[in-house]
Amino acid sequence: MTIALLIISCLLAAGVLILLGSQVELYRQLTQIRAYLKLVDEPTPVDLGRASGVQAGAVGLPAAVDDATSAIVLVLSTKCATCRALANTVRGAVPRWLWLLVEPASGEAKEAREFVEEFQLAGEQTLVDTDGDIAERLGMDVTPLALFFEDGRLSRAETVPSTRHLYSIAPADLPLRLMPAEEPSLNRS
Amino acid sequence: MCSDVPLLGLAAQLALASVLLLAGFSKVVRPRDLRQVFVDLRLANRLAGAATAVVIAAEIAVGVALLTLPAQAWPRAVALVLAAGFAGAGAIALLRRERIVCHCFGSLGSGSLGRRQIALLPAWLLLAGLAQWRPPDWGTETGLLLVSTVLLALAAMEIPRERRLRSKVTDARVALAVGMPSPSASSTEGVAP
C-alpha cells in the first residue's frame, strides 16, 4: 500500500515537472512569435541635455508633476499618426500617472483645441504648448515622446513607438486600465 | 573522515540520479531538439527518432533506478554508458569541427557538443566510482520518496523561470489587447503621416 502511494506521488511529481516545463516552453514560443511578428517595440532613448534633472514646474509643466513620486508626461503632436493613436487610446480618461503635453504642429491654438476636443482630453492633466515654449525649454522636438519624472525631476525620455509601448511603460504598481477614478494617487501627500 | 565515507557514496548517487532526471525530464518537453542533435551527428532520420526515445527513456529510468535500487550496480553502469555516449558525441562534433547545439538539458542551456562532454566524463566516473565503493543502502520506499522529492525540487527550480516568462507574456498580452485599434475608432482617418 505504501509503495503504491509512493509510486503515485512519484507520478504526480513527474506530472508537475512536465507541466511546468511545458508551460515554460509555451511562453518561450509565444515570445518568439511576438518577435517574429515584429510585435516588439523598440523605443529610442532621447538625450536630455540641459533638461536633465529639471523640475517640471520650472519648464511650465503642471505643478502636480512636481508633487508626484513618479509621473510620465506624454508629448503629442497634433499631426503625427502615432500621436493620434496614442491620444485615442487615452480618449476621455487619462490615467493618473500620465500627463499630456499637446504640441500644435502649425503653432495655432485652434488646432490644439480641436485635437483636445476630438479626443476628449480636456482636464487638469492635459496641457497645450501653444507657443512651443515648453518644448523649447526642454530642448526637445521629438513626438510622441515620454518624459519620465522621478520625485518631480526629469530623469529620462524615450520615444513611444506604439500604444502597446505606452501601456508597457505604465507604473508597475498600477493596473493597466483606463479608469483614473479607481486608481490610487501617486502623490506623496 | 571515516564516518564521511558512506556519505560520499550517498551524495554521489544522489548527484548522478538528479542530473539524469533533470536531463531526461527537460528533454521530454521538446524531444525534437535532441532528435536534431542526432540528425546533426548524421544519424539517419528514422534512427534519430528511435535514438531520441531511447536516450530520454534511459536517462529517466536510470535516474529512478539509482534512487530506488541503490545497492544495485547496473544503474551506475548504464549511467557510465550514457556518459560515454555523451563524450563520444562531443568527440564526433570536435573531430568534424561542427557546431552542434547540445540541448543536454532541453531549453535550460544552449551550449555546444564538444570539449565539455569529454571533460565531464572523469566526473561521471568519479561519482559512479564513489557510489559503487560505498553504495547507499536505503530501501525501495525511501528510494521512491527520494524520487518524488528530487522531481518536486526540479519542478520548484522551474517556478522562477515560469513566473518570469509568464509575467513577460501577460504584460505583452495586456499591452496588445489595449493597443489594438477599436473597430469604431476613426481617429487616424485623414491624418497626415
Side-chain angles (χ1 to χ4, degrees):
Chain A
M1 183 62 184
T2 314
I3 296 260
L5 284 174
L6 284 169
I7 289 173
I8 290 170
S9 74
C10 286
L11 292 174
L12 286 174
V16 168
L17 179 57
I18 291 172
L19 284 175
L20 266 173
S22 306
Q23 188 96 325
V24 167
E25 187 51 35
L26 178 72
Y27 290 146
R28 287 181 70 234
Q29 285 185 7
L30 279 174
T31 309
Q32 285 175 348
I33 290 169
R34 285 192 70 227
Y36 178 76
L37 293 175
K38 297 190 184 346
L39 290 174
V40 182
D41 295 317
E42 291 180 3
T44 310
V46 175
D47 182 25
L48 296 177
R50 59 189 157 86
S52 179
V54 75
Q55 278 212 300
V59 290
L61 289 168
V65 178
D66 282 337
D67 297 333
T69 46
S70 175
I72 298 171
V73 175
L74 184 62
V75 186
L76 300 174
S77 164
T78 50
K79 284 292 181 194
C80 89
T82 309
C83 299
R84 295 181 69 85
L86 290 167
N88 190 47
T89 305
V90 293
R91 175 189 286 270
V94 183
R96 286 207 173 172
W97 46 267
L98 188 68
W99 276 262
L100 300 178
L101 177 62
V102 180
E103 298 284 345
S106 64
E108 290 180 16
K110 185 184 167 203
E111 185 183 299
R113 274 201 305 275
E114 284 173 358
F115 182 87
V116 170
E117 205 172 295
E118 179 182 349
F119 295 106
Q120 301 162 26
L121 301 174
E124 291 176 357
Q125 288 167 255
T126 302
L127 198 67
V128 175
D129 189 18
T130 313
D131 50 7
D133 188 41
I134 299 174
E136 195 180 318
R137 282 196 226 176
L138 287 167
M140 292 172 199
D141 56 358
V142 182
T143 56
L145 180 72
L147 303 170
F148 296 84
F149 286 86
E150 303 292 336
D151 295 319
R153 291 191 178 275
L154 182 58
S155 59
R156 65 188 175 93
E158 66 183 28
T159 57
V160 185
S162 71
T163 50
R164 282 192 306 273
H165 186 63
L166 176 64
Y167 283 84
S168 70
I169 61 175
D173 56 336
L174 287 177
L176 296 175
R177 56 194 161 90
L178 299 175
M179 301 296 287
E182 294 176 18
E183 290 173 358
S185 170
L186 279 175
N187 289 353
R188 280 175 292 187
S189 57
Chain B
M1 176 64 191
C2 288
S3 62
D4 291 341
V5 169
L7 279 181
L8 282 176
L10 185 148
Q13 185 93 350
L14 273 177
L16 278 175
S18 302
V19 170
L20 286 170
L21 285 173
L22 174 63
F25 277 100
S26 57
K27 289 187 193 99
V28 164
V29 179
R30 273 178 71 103
R32 66 174 179 276
D33 286 343
L34 181 61
R35 190 177 185 281
Q36 187 58 46
V37 174
F38 285 118
V39 170
D40 290 344
L41 287 169
R42 298 181 200 167
L43 206 63
N45 255 341
R46 203 175 38 188
L47 286 177
T52 301
V54 167
V55 168
I56 294 173
E59 284 178 337
I60 294 174
V62 173
V64 171
L66 282 166
L67 293 176
T68 53
L69 307 166
Q72 300 274 335
W74 69 264
R76 289 185 281 275
V78 180
L80 281 183
V81 170
L82 283 170
F86 302 150
I92 291 172
L94 274 182
L95 286 173
R96 290 184 184 158
R97 298 171 188 273
E98 287 176 6
R99 188 186 181 276
I100 299 173
V101 180
C102 170
H103 296 297
C104 306
F105 294 97
S107 61
L108 290 175
S110 56
S112 300
L113 274 180
R115 287 191 181 84
R116 192 164 33 160
Q117 283 70 36
I118 298 169
L120 281 173
L121 187 56
W124 284 96
L125 279 169
L126 179 68
L127 288 175
L130 279 173
Q132 183 63 29
W133 181 42
R134 288 286 186 272
D137 57 356
W138 60 66
T140 308
E141 289 183 8
T142 308
L144 285 170
L145 195 61
L146 279 172
V147 171
S148 55
T149 306
V150 168
L151 292 180
L152 285 176
L154 295 178
M157 283 164 55
E158 281 278 20
I159 290 174
R161 204 156 72 108
E162 192 271 345
R163 287 188 67 174
R164 195 173 58 248
L165 280 165
R166 182 176 47 165
S167 159
K168 198 173 162 185
V169 169
T170 307
D171 287 352
R173 192 182 63 176
V174 171
L176 274 173
V178 296
M180 291 290 182
S182 155
S184 61
S186 58
S187 62
T188 53
E189 284 178 11
V191 173

